[in-house]
Amino acid sequence: MNLFRYFGNHLRAVLEDLRDQGVLQADADLSRVTVEPPRDTAHGDIATNAAMVLAKKAGMKPRDLAVTIVEGLERLDDIEKADIAGPGFINMTVTSSFWSKILLAALDPGQVWGRSDTGRGEKVLVEFVSANPTGPMHVGHCRGAVFGDALARLLDFAGYDVTREYYINDAGAQVDVLARSAHLRYLEALGEEIGDIPEGLYPGDYLKPVGSAAVEKFGDRYRGAVESEWLPEFRDFSISMMMDMIRDDLEALNIRFDSFFSERSLKEGKVNSIDDAIAEMRQMGLIYEGTLPPPKGKKPDDWDEREQTLFRATDFGDDVDRALAKADGSHTYFAADIAYHRDKIRRGFSTLIDVLGADHSGYVKRMKAAVRALSDDTVKLDVKICQLVHLLRGGKPVKMSKRSGSFITLREVVDEVGADVVRFIMLYRKNDASLDFDFDRVQEQSKDNPVFYVQYAHARIHSVLYRRLPDEFPGLDMGQIDPVREDLALLDDPGEILLIKKLAEYPRIVEQAANTHEPHRIAFYLYELASELHTHWNRGTEKPELRFISVGNRKVTGARAVLLGAIATTIASGLGILGVHPVEEM
RNA sequence: GGUCCCGUAGCUCAGUUGGAUAGAGCACCAGAUUCCUAAUCUGGGGGUCGCAGGUUCGAAUCCUGCCGGGAUCACCA
């Protein structure tokens, strides 16, 4: 149950009544009316701006209109009172009995708490990671991987039909380099002395197993053979091994894909989809032959002005038109990506999400332009750029040099701190802000560390719910309490009410996070919820009567167990969206 | 030089798609443990929301122009 939607519907009914009575204009715009928690909880439980938004058109002062709306609202059973404040806000206070409904909803076995149908089954494709299949995942891929996966989980939870896809860049020159590097390792595995890895090939040791595997597969058939004979075989073979390795790395982070889409498949089908896409766009008048101006202010030394095949990206919001063919006539990466996105559109997705690294920020406009052009603006493309992660150890930057091959792999990070920590920290920040990841800090067991803090709240609840008290309450299993049989009206302490109110926000947070494609909102909410729990927990230090286990009072203890159960359910649910495991013991 | 992102407390960051007196954590200061986990909690000080205009009942939030930081800039992927 979404509290704000619930009362939003109430409010809407009241406003429609007023419209029928002629108080509001027949065409009054109700879409700007919001129903949300007031900033200051002292104002009440729910606030609406309805009177302020609608007053002008109704020819009334906001406060006068508010009086009329309040009359309607106060007729509702769940509303204790409605006040008018400031320029015309209406603050509603919910009856205390209403809060019990929240707890019952949270623990209702017939529905999933927090799940939303806001997505209405709409098909969404989340493309993320898409790292080149030329080596293991390194730490730079980590954030996008976690972000994309959490976003997919979030959208799924919010009622979208989500597909997670990995685009394999297996068609460019880099996979030929991979094949040559693997071939060299193959010769090495055959016992040849290969010396230093030549400039331009991948030096990493991770290719040694590929070399050995190639010996098993091919024998010495390709020793001394000309490159044109072995290159295609070695390319396919090593890409496949690299993808296996990448899948393993992702698995370690608790990430799985629904689909892997090969760039090469665009060219190798019955029809070449890249040519086909270009032909289609040409027919639509989206393509011309022309020359581009050099970049303003910074003319590259080797600027070669020539005629190119160009997409009219500027007609769709881009800054310049974009080249589809290289000097040698082959397709640009962008051309392939256009064909790929056309394929996504044709598969019937109504929303596309691309999760990219910061180095692709310059790519956003052209891709949006392409999707607009190809879908006649019917398909939305949202590009989420994940900014850089700065690795630190004890506050000092961790040095990395990709050139020497000594970069830090994703697997090393996961092995050191654990997938749950990596995931939570990466999600405890907006995707478009850069992030510091300090190996020491993220493993601290203190409130300094948000992962720990939230996990600890869950473990604390677990310690109560699974406590056996044979002397106090023989036969009572707090983890098995049936909420509908408890007297929830006993939860009347202000601290308890605050906790329930915090719980009540959860469904709304889920919807907001899903609508904005911002999973970090879930992480921050969980931190706040954990904080409220710890606060209330410690009230029991000075006031023993507030402890969750109320000695000698089975009814109060039962009601509080329901509250704890609802909080634990919410924490576990939110962590589930983030792909983090709730722990029961620390 | 163009484009995109960022700029909020000493530091790291939230900020409910335009709402009321702008919030957390860290750090600093002062406190709480016969008690369900003190791995926690309570209180305190700390702000020109980068700057200047504009839009309106109302702006940290939207628009324009500046300033500062980062990423990126035909033909690589």
Side-chain angles (χ1 to χ4, degrees), chain A residues 22 121 227 267 367 530:
Chain A
E227 185 177 286
K267 305 179 183 175
M367 213 55 248

Side-chain angles (χ1 to χ4, degrees), chain A residues 126-131 140-148 151 165 167 169 333-334 337 340-341 344 352-368 381-389 431-433:
Chain A
V126 184
E127 182 213 328
F128 61 111
V129 184
S130 300
H141 297 120
C142 205
R143 189 174 186 183
V146 170
F147 178 86
L151 180 55
E165 188 158 276
Y167 181 54
N169 297 137
Y333 181 81
F334 181 51
D337 226 3
Y340 173 41
H341 281 76
K344 292 181 184 178
L352 308 179
I353 301 176
D354 291 1
V355 179
L356 301 175
D359 53 342
H360 285 71
S361 58
Y363 201 64
V364 177
K365 278 193 178 184
R366 79 186 70 167
M367 213 55 248
K368 285 194 171 180
L381 171 67
D382 188 15
V383 182
K384 304 298 279 189
I385 297 287
C386 289
Q387 288 295 332
L388 298 179
V389 175
N431 62 287
D432 47 17

Side-chain angles (χ1 to χ4, degrees), chain A residues 344-452:
Chain A
K344 292 181 184 178
I345 293 165
R346 289 183 166 188
R347 279 184 275 161
F349 295 101
S350 55
T351 300
L352 308 179
I353 301 176
D354 291 1
V355 179
L356 301 175
D359 53 342
H360 285 71
S361 58
Y363 201 64
V364 177
K365 278 193 178 184
R366 79 186 70 167
M367 213 55 248
K368 285 194 171 180
V371 170
R372 281 183 63 189
L374 288 167
S375 75
D376 198 22
D377 214 2
T378 60
V379 172
K380 283 169 286 186
L381 171 67
D382 188 15
V383 182
K384 304 298 279 189
I385 297 287
C386 289
Q387 288 295 332
L388 298 179
V389 175
H390 301 117
L391 287 183
L392 306 169
R393 205 178 276 282
K396 289 180 180 164
V398 175
K399 288 200 177 126
M400 282 190 289
S401 161
K402 199 171 173 181
R403 187 161 300 169
S404 70
S406 69
F407 52 83
I408 295 184
T409 63
L410 177 146
R411 185 56 77 98
E412 286 171 300
V413 177
V414 174
D415 286 349
E416 181 167 342
V417 307
D420 284 342
V421 168
V422 172
R423 293 189 62 118
F424 196 98
I425 296 294
M426 295 280 174
L427 293 168
Y428 195 66
R429 199 113 304 180
K430 259 186 312 204
N431 62 287
D432 47 17
S434 62
L435 175 157
D436 287 346
F437 187 95
D438 191 315
F439 281 96
D440 296 326
R441 184 160 295 177
V442 300
Q443 294 186 87
E444 257 175 45
Q445 303 218 328
S446 74
K447 66 178 302 187
D448 202 2
N449 179 358
V451 198
F452 170 79

Side-chain angles (χ1 to χ4, degrees), chain A residues 267-282:
Chain A
K267 305 179 183 175
E268 294 179 346
K270 270 169 268 170
V271 288
N272 181 323
S273 347
I274 303 177
D275 289 338
D276 194 49
I278 292 176
E280 182 186 326
M281 290 168 77
R282 204 180 285 279

Side-chain angles (χ1 to χ4, degrees), chain A residues 2-205:
Chain A
N2 185 330
L3 169 79
F4 300 95
R5 180 172 292 173
Y6 181 79
F7 285 101
N9 289 338
H10 274 331
L11 174 66
R12 184 167 295 267
V14 168
L15 295 176
E16 280 168 2
D17 267 358
L18 291 177
R19 192 159 61 184
D20 294 344
Q21 292 164 24
V23 178
L24 295 176
Q25 254 58 20
D27 60 343
D29 178 14
L30 303 187
S31 68
R32 287 176 60 215
V33 174
T34 60
V35 177
E36 56 192 11
R39 176 156 292 179
D40 186 341
T41 51
H43 291 141
D45 302 314
I46 300 169
T48 178
N49 62 356
M52 291 182 289
V53 173
L54 300 171
K56 200 175 217 176
K57 197 156 190 183
M60 299 173 75
K61 289 180 180 168
R63 289 191 68 109
D64 293 342
L65 177 57
V67 170
T68 313
I69 297 173
V70 162
E71 283 168 11
L73 287 171
E74 285 190 326
R75 283 198 286 272
L76 299 166
D77 287 342
D78 291 317
I79 294 179
E80 178 83 40
K81 58 168 182 161
D83 303 318
I84 303 164
F89 285 101
I90 299 172
N91 295 320
M92 291 167 258
T93 303
V94 171
T95 60
S96 52
S97 64
F98 178 82
W99 297 116
S100 306
K101 295 183 187 174
I102 295 289
L103 294 178
L104 294 176
L107 295 170
D108 181 353
Q111 59 174 349
V112 179
W113 170 238
R115 185 178 278 281
S116 164
D117 59 358
T118 186
R120 299 163 196 270
E122 196 185 302
K123 285 184 70 177
V124 179
L125 184 110
V126 184
E127 182 213 328
F128 61 111
V129 184
S130 300
N132 284 344
T134 54
M137 305 258 305
H138 57 83
V139 68
H141 297 120
C142 205
R143 189 174 186 183
V146 170
F147 178 86
D149 183 63
L151 180 55
R153 287 170 193 253
L154 171 63
L155 293 173
D156 179 71
F157 198 63
Y160 291 88
D161 178 6
V162 182
T163 300
R164 300 142 198 248
E165 188 158 276
Y166 186 120
Y167 181 54
I168 308 173
N169 297 137
D170 53 4
Q174 81 282 357
V175 288
D176 289 342
V177 174
L178 172 73
R180 290 188 195 102
S181 310
H183 185 259
L184 195 64
R185 294 298 188 177
Y186 162 77
L187 297 178
E188 182 183 44
L190 284 171
E192 294 191 14
E193 188 58 52
I194 62 169
D196 290 340
I197 307 292
E199 191 77 13
L201 294 187
Y202 298 129
D205 285 347

